Amino acid sequence: MATNINISINGASVEIKKGETILDAANQAGINVPTLCYHKDLCVAGNCRVCVVEVIGQKRLAAACATPCEEGMEILTNSLKVRNSRKHIIELLLSEHDSDCTRCYKNGNCELQKLASEYKIMTQDFIRLAPEKKYTIDMFSPSIVKDDSKCIRCQRCVRTCEELQGVNALTVAYKGDEMKISTFFEKPMSEVVCTNCGQCVNHCPTGALVEKNYIEEVWDAISNPKKHVVVQTAPAVRVGLGEELGIPIGTSVTGKMVAALKRLGFDSVLDTDFTADLTIIEEGTELLNRLKKALVDKDETIKLPMATSCSPGWIKYIEHMFPEYLGNLSTCKSPQQMFGALAKTYYAKARKIDPESIVSVSIMPCTAKKFEANRPEMHDSGFRDVDYVLTTRELAIMIKQAGIDFLKLPETNYDRLMGESTGAAVIFGATGGVMEAALRTAYELVTGREVPFKNLDINPVRGMDGVREAAVKIESPLEEWSFLDGIELKCAVAHGLVNAKKVMDAVKSGKSDYHFIEVMACPGGCLGGGGQPIPTNPEIRKKRAEAIYAEDAGMPMRKSHENPEIVKIYEDFLGEPLGEKSHHLLHTKYVTRERF
């Protein structure tokens, strides 16, 4: 059976694989067919019809994204019939759309706006229905704003929430001209089973779903001479920010990012990677303690497998969906929240600054971090630990507002004290990174030797497969850990909440024998987070991951326990891992939430 077929597009012969769509064929031929409902991450829907093409011999125009190619098919993508049809479809979408583009948050990065510009929709032949619609704007969530007046009902958000995350917080309600994207009983997003992951924001082609931004609040803090504004930057931000500022995808811009933050006026520019290293010390110690209590002390109250707690989207997911396993979560706060607590205690004390005057800002690839910072549990410093969370996109906006030529910025280092980090911290930005960083440290603490993988690269936990498993056999451990001799430490890594469910179902059914689980809510991990530059797709996430691992490989220190600033903070302030002060500032607990 032939695997390739021959077709014609606009008179040119094209050879493609059997089963591929007209859209696939057009892309291979270098022909751009516009789309709105189509996305590489999602199943084909074919409901916007913007991608229609003409197939010779067929009466109706075909949706390119949903029509498989057939041998000998003759396709026209730019006929008068096709152009007029596309133009009318765009006009119809605009008739129900709040087209005040200059005041829209997505202005300049809106797929509908781009098409309207390309097809020169200068007049409106259809009745403007937007003013007649009783649209609502949901601003109750600390993470996401949902504006129905900007929605084109492409359903990308619905498919994202179902297919990538398995949460189904968004769904299609009503029919015909009353159809809308809604939530359970049309409740605000803050009151439904929404994990705040922001993947709906990343996949929305318009301004119907955007992050709740805090740009002006941060500008106000920077401008206030009575405030000392500290900023931290997450690992994944450095491999995404450049995309918003004219730098090729997959480029790490750490030094320029630090320089930009200093020019924006932040008083101290520090690194979330520092507390990522700290997380590994605390979390690794916690895992080893749990293993000891379970295997030696035979303590039946110990919960295994232990699961990571760095991803706030994952935390809220398990609170809703698997609350009986909250005890399996590591009690460690995320690196963001550890940093916030230390900024207003350790940092304030070392710098002799009144903690009440400190404004703690974090730059994150994640919209769920906004929700996390707003949690009532996150006030252990005596203040709100993190005051404002900005996404990578929001930071790019601030840089543009300040008139900074990012390309001309010098490479600049982070400030000292909570600014030093290792390669193990950098890889927190990729799925499998937390697991790899933990194994690098835990194995060496137990055996006195480096983890037995070439160049410290634990490849079994790397990659983009939805669920990955790895096992590390512990041989000839130090005397203190002799009870682990011969044990195979079994680990699982999942990214995307639909894959987290697979792992948790395996745990719940008793079919798994994992000791340690890493879950990241977003596809690809933080580098594919809901606050990262748009667009996102598998190819873009792969390039960002390559940049993450390249930065790790080039670091002078690649194991968290080698960070001298981590050694110093325990000597000067924390005392010991899992000690009293660590327990108070760096650890927390979570709550059971309703499933509906």
Side-chain angles (χ1 to χ4, degrees):
M1 183 179 291
T3 56
N4 287 355
I5 60 175
N6 294 289
I7 63 170
S8 166
I9 303 181
N10 298 336
S13 297
V14 180
E15 183 179 350
I16 62 166
K17 293 179 181 178
K18 187 176 182 179
E20 291 190 335
T21 65
I22 294 174
L23 182 62
D24 295 328
N27 288 335
Q28 291 178 38
I31 298 170
N32 178 50
V33 174
T35 61
L36 282 173
C37 68
Y38 173 81
H39 197 285
K40 286 184 179 181
D41 284 340
L42 308 173
C43 74
V44 172
N47 55 23
C48 77
R49 316 309 281 186
V50 170
C51 68
V52 290
V53 296
E54 187 173 356
V55 179
I56 301 300
Q58 294 185 9
K59 293 182 180 180
R60 296 181 180 180
L61 297 179
C65 69
T67 306
C69 292
E70 297 177 9
E71 178 67 41
M73 185 179 274
E74 296 180 49
I75 300 159
L76 299 176
T77 68
N78 193 38
S79 66
L80 181 61
K81 185 177 181 181
V82 167
R83 286 199 306 276
N84 285 339
S85 179
R86 287 179 187 163
K87 190 170 182 177
H88 286 322
I89 290 168
I90 296 167
E91 287 175 339
L92 284 166
L93 289 172
L94 289 171
S95 73
E96 293 187 305
H97 186 79
D98 178 1
S99 302
D100 191 359
C101 295
T102 57
R103 293 197 295 176
C104 178
Y105 187 69
K106 287 286 287 289
N107 184 22
N109 193 22
C110 169
E111 294 177 39
L112 179 61
Q113 183 186 45
K114 180 174 180 287
L115 286 179
S117 175
E118 288 177 354
Y119 281 82
K120 299 304 173 190
I121 310 297
M122 311 298 288
T123 60
Q124 182 58 261
D125 294 334
F126 299 98
I127 297 172
R128 291 282 299 141
L129 297 175
E132 309 301 322
K133 299 276 188 177
K134 295 180 180 179
Y135 290 125
T136 58
I137 302 177
D138 176 4
M139 301 183 69
F140 292 104
S141 167
S143 300
I144 297 170
V145 176
K146 179 176 177 286
D147 184 349
D148 290 346
S149 72
K150 307 290 177 64
C151 180
I152 61 171
R153 298 176 289 188
C154 66
Q155 302 177 39
R156 271 169 36 175
C157 59
V158 175
R159 285 176 283 144
T160 296
C161 203
E162 177 186 358
E163 295 169 24
L164 298 185
Q165 303 299 65
V167 174
N168 296 289
L170 296 167
T171 190
V172 176
Y174 309 111
K175 294 181 179 180
D177 67 338
E178 294 183 356
M179 174 191 165
K180 62 186 290 188
I181 305 303
S182 188
T183 59
F184 183 70
F185 278 101
E186 299 193 27
K187 292 181 178 180
M189 291 186 71
S190 59
E191 295 181 16
V192 297
V193 185
C194 170
T195 64
N196 302 287
C197 70
Q199 287 304 308
C200 58
V201 174
N202 268 11
H203 291 82
C204 179
T206 67
L209 287 158
V210 298
E211 69 266 31
K212 193 167 191 176
N213 84 79
Y214 298 90
I215 294 171
E216 292 306 319
E217 288 86 343
V218 173
W219 277 127
D220 289 345
I222 290 173
S223 302
N224 189 338
K226 295 181 181 179
K227 296 296 183 182
H228 181 89
V229 188
V230 176
V231 65
Q232 57 167 308
T233 63
V237 174
R238 66 205 69 201
V239 298
L241 179 63
E243 296 169 32
E244 293 274 355
L245 299 165
I247 292 176
I249 295 167
T251 304
S252 180
V253 295
T254 308
K256 290 184 184 297
M257 175 180 67
V258 173
L261 290 165
K262 288 178 180 289
R263 292 197 183 184
L264 289 176
F266 288 99
D267 295 297
S268 191
V269 180
L270 303 173
D271 200 353
T272 315
D273 286 13
F274 166 79
T275 37
D277 280 331
L278 187 61
T279 298
I280 289 302
I281 304 302
E282 292 289 324
E283 193 170 72
T285 304
E286 182 183 5
L287 174 62
L288 293 174
N289 280 5
R290 288 198 192 196
L291 289 172
K292 185 174 183 179
K293 288 178 180 178
L295 299 175
V296 178
D297 302 337
K298 306 298 182 184
D299 187 343
E300 295 182 359
T301 65
I302 296 300
K303 301 291 186 180
L304 289 173
M306 190 178 89
T308 58
S309 53
C310 296
S311 169
W314 152 241
I315 295 298
K316 193 159 187 283
Y317 177 80
I318 196 173
E319 286 179 327
H320 284 294
M321 302 297 192
F322 294 93
E324 67 271 31
Y325 287 95
L326 287 176
N328 291 70
L329 287 173
S330 166
T331 61
C332 288
K333 293 180 181 177
S334 72
Q336 169 183 273
Q337 294 305 135
M338 284 192 181
F339 187 100
L342 292 173
K344 297 186 178 182
T345 52
Y346 173 65
Y347 175 88
K349 181 180 178 181
R351 292 284 187 253
K352 297 181 173 57
I353 300 170
D354 180 359
E356 195 168 356
S357 70
I358 292 178
V359 177
S360 177
V361 178
S362 68
I363 313 296
M364 293 285 140
C366 175
T367 51
K369 289 291 182 185
K370 296 172 184 279
F371 171 82
E372 180 184 44
N374 201 48
R375 291 184 70 120
E377 300 93 343
M378 302 303 173
H379 290 73
D380 290 328
S381 64
F383 308 88
R384 175 165 162 158
D385 295 337
V386 175
D387 295 292
Y388 302 110
V389 178
L390 303 179
T391 61
T392 307
R393 295 188 292 265
E394 288 169 87
L395 174 58
I397 290 170
M398 291 184 70
I399 291 170
K400 293 173 185 176
Q401 288 176 343
I404 295 170
D405 188 338
F406 194 77
L407 295 174
K408 293 182 179 179
L409 290 174
E411 299 291 321
T412 306
N413 294 324
Y414 285 100
D415 294 323
R416 300 307 299 268
L417 189 69
M418 299 173 64
E420 186 74 56
S421 63
T422 70
V426 172
I427 60 176
F428 265 57
T431 171
V434 178
M435 178 67 70
E436 182 168 352
L439 290 175
R440 287 182 189 178
T441 286
Y443 188 88
E444 190 161 326
L445 291 179
V446 168
T447 67
R449 305 183 304 276
E450 288 188 341
V451 69
F453 289 87
K454 186 178 180 181
N455 298 324
L456 301 178
D457 298 339
I458 308 178
N459 290 314
V461 300
R462 296 186 179 186
M464 292 294 172
D465 291 339
V467 178
R468 303 181 299 286
E469 297 178 336
V472 179
K473 190 171 184 178
I474 298 174
E475 296 178 308
S476 304
L478 300 174
E479 185 176 350
E480 180 186 358
W481 304 104
S482 58
F483 65 92
L484 292 174
D485 194 11
I487 284 183
E488 226 177 17
L489 188 65
K490 296 184 178 180
C491 310
V493 173
H495 62 114
L497 293 174
V498 72
N499 293 310
K501 184 179 187 301
K502 293 176 184 176
V503 172
M504 292 308 298
D505 283 343
V507 171
K508 192 171 184 177
S509 67
K511 294 178 180 178
S512 74
D513 54 355
Y514 306 129
H515 298 101
F516 193 26
I517 296 170
E518 179 209 299
V519 176
M520 290 292 170
C522 295
C526 298
L527 58 84
Q532 288 286 73
I534 298 170
T536 182
N537 59 47
E539 291 79 16
I540 290 173
R541 292 192 289 270
K542 182 181 177 182
K543 288 181 179 180
R544 291 175 186 166
E546 289 169 353
I548 286 273
Y549 289 119
E551 182 142 337
D552 163 44
M555 296 284 279
M557 298 178 293
R558 298 184 60 210
K559 294 173 283 189
S560 295
H561 56 281
E562 292 180 343
N563 186 340
E565 282 201 28
I566 296 296
V567 176
K568 181 175 174 58
I569 195 172
Y570 279 111
E571 291 176 349
D572 296 350
F573 185 71
L574 292 174
E576 62 179 354
L578 302 186
E580 183 179 349
K581 190 164 285 188
S582 290
H583 181 76
H584 174 64
L585 292 174
L586 309 182
H587 295 256
T588 190
K589 58 184 179 181
Y590 299 103
V591 298
T592 298
R593 299 179 188 271
E594 292 182 354
R595 189 158 184 170
F596 300 103

